[in-house]
């Protein structure tokens, strides 16, 4: 396995793009999970939870 110092610019660019994609996918998964969890809450609790998270109630 190569260390980062041995990678050329093209390989570093591909690595950067792959990591950015993974972070974006994970961020989206977290957002979807929060949204689905909020929707599963009873209405009065859902509104308060959304307000605490800074979301539109």
């Amino acid at each position: 396995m190569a260390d980062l110092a041995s990678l050329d610019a093209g390989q570093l660019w591909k690595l950067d793009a792959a990591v950015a994609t993974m972070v974006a996918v994970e961020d989206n998964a977290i957002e979807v999970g929060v949204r689905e969890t909020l929707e599963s809450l009873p209405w009065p609790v859902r509104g308060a939870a959304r307000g605490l998270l800074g979301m539109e109630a």
Side-chain angles (χ1 to χ4, degrees):
M1 180 174 204
D3 62 21
L4 291 176
S6 67
L7 298 178
D8 65 31
Q11 292 169 316
L12 287 172
W13 182 86
K14 288 178 185 177
L15 177 61
D16 181 60
V19 170
T21 300
M22 290 173 30
V23 169
V25 167
E26 186 63 27
D27 184 48
N28 185 54
I30 291 169
E31 183 179 330
V32 168
V34 168
R35 190 176 328 120
E36 288 175 354
T37 300
L38 287 173
E39 291 304 315
S40 72
L41 296 172
W43 182 81
V45 176
R46 184 183 324 150
R50 284 170 128 349
L52 287 171
L53 293 172
M55 302 169 78
E56 190 174 310

